[in-house]
């Protein structure tokens, strides 16, 4: 046993109290790391796994705010600062009714490895709230963000912990959070990333995760001796920040993305998703995807309640490449089998941990090229770090510079993951490659920094 029984029991207990995602994330990493731990006893001697699976600290706080009807509302806020061996804590904030401490621990744990893989000086963290921005007015979102920051500001700082967006948190929320932080501290500093461009945001941060995921996949296809994206049919789930920009970059590389989905249903447009309509519905009006069919009568909309039992409509559509970009555990064993039967050659995780462990087994057995989240979606946090660098030096990078550096970063992560897998005798296994490469950098730093 390379991790103590008590630690495993603690993780299982936290997961059971909330949901199973933290245990699921840890279990996958432990499985990949067996050969490293067996070949190098230093990690066990320094109890790295026990230390790495325990967050440095966790904050949980009450957020009280007033809605537009003068009713007082109470939500719970969280920040999990997991590990800062490589740099300041860094990771997004998620506002969604499903948020609990277990989900944030899974996301924070994954973030340590993802941030390590970028090669940039950033540690791992995650936070958020069970607040649901859906259906709230801008004013209500602003009041919630102000109340959330009243507590969060005590724990963050440009060299301490730098939050960003995630599900339910985009430029609007980051703007309100930044405004409140500035008001409380009188300090104009890069304490959040994903800010609007006019007050310190980086160009291309909104596009970064989706674009990065496509660059990574392009490189992975090349390593496998397959041609790039030209003419490939792609299926994408989600209709938020990551999904929209994945679709956008797929078009730029010559592919045809034919699906997207939101929490209520899926659109299948065999002629290719109309990006302008999608942006107008989801980014500008925050409306339901069902409206896509108003001007696209050939497109098919399927409501969630009409999906085949246990499956997701997106994964029923025949494709060459699949991009789950909505949320965790959205792609099940049944979906994976359907993708394989339909001749899919690659699956790239734009979302965090969207494939269930059983789905991953199906991909492995069928030699599907599989790009795990912590490598494939690292482009978002990478550009967040570029934003930190721009803020610290009071400069602005051009669009071309950000895009070029993002592309280089994603292609070099892919190469490192590929070579690491090969060095450990599991060529083509990007899960093991990502877990081992991410682990080694952070573990070696922890050892060098002492206990
Ligand atoms: P958004 O809030 O912008 O979009 C999420 C999309 O997923 C929405 O269209 C939402 O539908 C849909 N969705 C469907 N089912 C669910 C569900 N059960 N819970 C939440 N959303 C659901 O988020 P992002 O695009 O930013 O994030 C998507 C995924 O990518 C997440 O896993 C996130 O952790 C990950 N990620 C995000 C990064 C970023 O930079 N933003 C970076 C790296 C990873 P609806 O519109 O109906 O709400
Ligand atoms: O999951 C993620 O990597 C993010 N939500 C982005 C984190 C960041 O700090 O930009």
């Amino acid at each position: 046993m390379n991790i103590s029984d008590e630690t495993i029991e603690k993780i299982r207990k936290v997961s059971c109290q909330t949901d199973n995602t933290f245990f699921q994330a840890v279990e996958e990493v432990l499985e990949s790391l067996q050969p490293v731990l067996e070949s190098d006893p230093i990690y066990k001697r320094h109890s790295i796994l026990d230390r790495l699976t325990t967050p440095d600290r966790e904050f949980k706080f009450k957020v009280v705010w007033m809605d537009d009807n003068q009713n007082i509302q109470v939500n719970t806020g969280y920040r999990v600062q997991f590990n800062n061996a490589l740099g300041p804590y860094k990771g997004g904030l998620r506002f969604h009714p499903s948020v609990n401490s277990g989900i944030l621990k899974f996301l924070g744990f994954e973030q340590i490895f993802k941030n390590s893989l970028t090669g940039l000086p950033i540690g791992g963290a995650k936070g958020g709230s069970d607040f649901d921005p859906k259906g709230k007015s801008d004013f209500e979102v602003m009041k919630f963000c102000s109340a959330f920051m009243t507590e969060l500001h005590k724990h963050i700082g440009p060299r301490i912990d730098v939050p960003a967006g995630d599900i339910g948190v985009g430029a609007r929320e980051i703007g309100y959070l930044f405004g409140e932080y500035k008001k409380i501290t009188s300090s104009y500093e890069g304490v959040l990333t994903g800010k609007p461009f006019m007050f310190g945001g980086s160009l291309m941060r909104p596009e970064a995760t989706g674009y990065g995921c496509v660059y990574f996949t392009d490189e992975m296809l090349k390593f496998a001796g397959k041609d790039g994206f030209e003419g490939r049919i792609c299926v994408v789930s989600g209709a938020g920040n990551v999904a929209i920009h994945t679709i956008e970059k797929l078009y730029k590389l010559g592919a045809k993305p034919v699906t997207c989905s939101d929490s209520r249903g899926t659109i299948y447009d065999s002629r290719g998703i109309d990006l302008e309509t999608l942006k107008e519905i989801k980014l500008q009006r925050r409306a339901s995807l069902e409206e896509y069919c108003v001007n696209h009568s050939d497109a098919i909309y399927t409501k969630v309640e009409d999906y085949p039992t246990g499956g997701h409509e997106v994964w029923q559509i025949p494709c060459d490449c699949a991009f789950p970009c909505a949320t965790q555990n959205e792609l099940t064993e049944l979906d994976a089998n359907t993708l394989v039967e339909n001749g899919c050659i690659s699956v790239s995780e734009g979302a965090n941990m969207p494939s269930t462990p059983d789905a991953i087994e199906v991909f492995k057995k069928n030699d599907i090229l599989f790009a795990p989240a912590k490598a494939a979606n690292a482009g978002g946090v990478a550009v967040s770090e570029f934003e930190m660098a721009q803020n610290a030096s009071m400069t602005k990078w051009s669009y071309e510079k950000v895009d070029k550096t993002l592309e280089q970063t994603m292609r070099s992560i892919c190469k490192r993951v590929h070579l690491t897998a090969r060095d450990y005798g599991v060529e083509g296994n990007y899960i093991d490659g990502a877990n081992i490469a991410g682990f080694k950098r952070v573990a070696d730093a922890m050892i060098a920094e002492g206990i």
Side-chain angles (χ1 to χ4, degrees):
M1 195 43 130
N2 292 297
I3 182 167
S4 70
D5 289 344
E6 289 127 83
T7 305
I8 279 280
E9 201 35 51
K10 251 193 298 180
I11 294 167
R12 205 191 294 273
K13 227 160 123 191
V14 170
S15 280
C16 288
Q17 279 161 5
T18 49
D19 62 40
N20 210 32
T21 49
F22 180 41
F23 193 67
Q24 183 183 331
V26 171
E27 210 168 35
E28 183 208 277
V29 170
L30 292 186
E31 207 182 301
S32 293
L33 293 181
Q34 283 316 312
V36 185
L37 302 167
E38 276 157 24
S39 63
D40 199 341
I42 193 167
Y43 299 118
K44 189 170 180 206
R45 200 160 65 242
H46 286 261
S47 295
I48 293 298
L49 284 178
D50 290 78
R51 291 161 61 194
L52 206 50
T53 50
T54 310
D56 289 349
R57 61 194 71 78
E58 292 175 76
F59 305 105
K60 180 174 176 187
F61 47 91
K62 183 171 71 174
V63 186
V64 184
W65 58 283
M66 193 178 279
D67 68 20
D68 289 347
N69 297 320
Q70 314 286 309
N71 294 317
I72 293 174
Q73 302 287 345
V74 184
N75 286 101
T76 306
Y78 305 85
R79 186 72 181 164
V80 183
Q81 295 179 337
F82 229 111
N83 184 292
N84 66 352
L86 294 173
Y89 300 107
K90 183 84 196 87
L93 295 171
R94 179 176 289 191
F95 291 170
H96 192 269
S98 64
V99 163
N100 59 45
S101 60
I103 287 181
L104 295 177
K105 280 174 97 165
F106 123 62
L107 290 163
F109 179 72
E110 290 282 291
Q111 200 82 43
I112 305 171
F113 296 83
K114 183 192 307 190
N115 294 2
S116 166
L117 280 171
T118 63
L120 299 165
I122 39 180
K126 203 81 187 188
S129 173
D130 57 0
F131 171 73
D132 187 359
K134 219 174 269 173
K136 305 287 191 302
S137 68
D138 284 352
F139 205 63
E140 287 175 321
V141 171
M142 184 182 82
K143 284 197 283 186
F144 172 80
C145 288
S146 298
F148 184 82
M149 188 51 88
T150 309
E151 183 66 27
L152 186 72
H153 87 275
K154 299 172 193 164
H155 312 298
I156 61 177
R159 295 294 159 120
I160 300 169
D161 182 355
V162 184
D166 193 80
I167 289 175
V169 178
R172 173 182 63 169
E173 289 74 18
I174 294 290
Y176 294 146
L177 290 164
F178 182 75
E180 186 63 25
Y181 179 87
K182 193 162 58 70
K183 198 164 87 188
I184 297 168
T185 63
S186 301
S187 179
Y188 203 108
E189 53 191 2
V191 70
L192 293 154
T193 60
K195 300 183 288 297
F197 179 70
M198 62 192 141
F199 50 89
S202 176
L203 286 171
M204 260 197 78
R205 176 62 188 87
E207 294 91 338
T209 311
Y211 280 24
C213 186
V214 178
Y215 287 140
F216 186 98
T217 309
D218 189 54
E219 192 71 8
M220 180 173 75
L221 290 172
K222 281 186 189 151
F223 274 125
K226 318 246 183 222
D227 290 337
F229 278 111
E230 193 62 45
R232 293 206 188 274
I233 303 293
C234 298
V235 294
V236 179
S237 67
N241 173 280
V242 180
I244 286 174
H245 296 105
T246 296
I247 292 172
E248 188 165 89
K249 183 51 89 178
L250 283 171
Y251 274 127
K252 289 188 185 182
L253 297 192
K256 183 154 86 161
V258 294
T259 66
C260 58
S261 65
D262 65 13
S263 53
R264 283 176 273 188
T266 294
I267 288 288
Y268 169 49
D269 188 339
S270 61
R271 289 167 308 177
I273 293 293
D274 177 345
L275 196 55
E276 289 319 306
T277 302
L278 175 61
K279 284 185 176 178
E280 197 265 325
I281 295 171
K282 296 307 292 189
L283 297 182
Q284 284 167 33
R285 289 194 291 112
R286 302 173 194 274
S288 164
L289 268 185
E290 192 165 8
E291 297 187 19
Y292 185 95
C293 294
V294 174
N295 293 321
H296 298 81
S297 50
D298 290 352
I300 299 168
Y301 178 74
T302 312
K303 285 187 189 155
V304 168
E305 49 271 31
D306 297 334
Y307 290 167
T309 321
H312 191 300
E313 188 60 18
V314 166
W315 319 121
Q316 309 296 310
I317 308 297
C319 67
D320 300 304
C321 306
F323 292 85
C325 296
T327 195
Q328 63 273 4
N329 291 327
E330 57 164 309
L331 196 164
T332 64
E333 181 181 10
L334 189 139
D335 299 320
N337 279 318
T338 311
L339 284 168
V340 170
E341 279 160 27
N342 285 339
C344 171
I345 60 166
S346 75
V347 177
S348 306
E349 297 191 316
N352 283 308
M353 208 167 76
S355 313
T356 65
D358 291 342
I360 291 173
E361 278 312 307
V362 173
F363 296 141
K364 278 187 186 164
K365 269 194 207 128
N366 290 279
D367 289 329
I368 301 293
L369 288 169
F370 182 78
K374 53 172 79 74
N377 74 29
V381 78
V383 174
S384 274
E385 197 275 348
F386 305 163
E387 184 170 327
M388 289 164 72
Q390 292 170 75
N391 292 165
S393 58
M394 304 281 273
T395 53
K396 287 274 192 197
W397 293 11
S398 68
Y399 186 91
E400 290 69 29
K401 178 171 174 173
V402 181
D403 190 26
K404 199 156 175 256
T405 318
L406 169 66
E407 182 170 355
Q408 280 166 353
T409 304
M410 295 314 294
R411 292 193 190 277
S412 89
I413 294 174
C414 186
K415 189 171 176 192
R416 197 142 68 86
V417 168
H418 181 81
L419 294 179
T420 305
R422 200 187 64 186
D423 288 351
Y424 279 85
V426 284
E427 185 160 355
N429 185 334
Y430 281 71
I431 300 179
D432 288 352
N435 285 332
I436 294 170
F439 170 79
K440 283 184 106 174
R441 184 164 176 253
V442 70
D444 291 345
M446 286 167 74
I447 292 167
E449 289 171 16
I451 53 170

